[in-house]
């Protein structure tokens, strides 16, 4: 699993946010489109693409997309 691919898959869960806003350092909870529904989409995407089960606490404890990537990669 590569960080670039993870960022692209993460960005695909957003409808209205420009792809250029997604980098490893992006604090995803600060994005205007961030919501509990998007969080559920992220959890579902990670399960489907990476076969990893994320919990709500994982998302709460991650600040950036890279933080979330490292959580997924560690499992």
């Amino acid at each position: 699993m590569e960080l670039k691919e993870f960022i692209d898959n993460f960005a695909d869960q957003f409808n209205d946010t420009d792809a250029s806003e997604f980098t490893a350092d992006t604090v995803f909870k600060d994005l205007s489109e961030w919501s509990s529904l998007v969080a559920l989409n992220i959890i579902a995407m990670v399960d489907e693409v990476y076969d990893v089960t994320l919990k709500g606490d994982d998302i709460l404890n991650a600040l950036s997309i890279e933080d979330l990537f490292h959580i997924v990669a560690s499992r």
Side-chain angles (χ1 to χ4, degrees), residues 7-8 11-12 16-23:
I7 293 169
D8 291 343
D12 287 345
D16 300 325
T17 306
D18 190 82
S20 66
E21 292 195 43
F22 296 94
T23 67

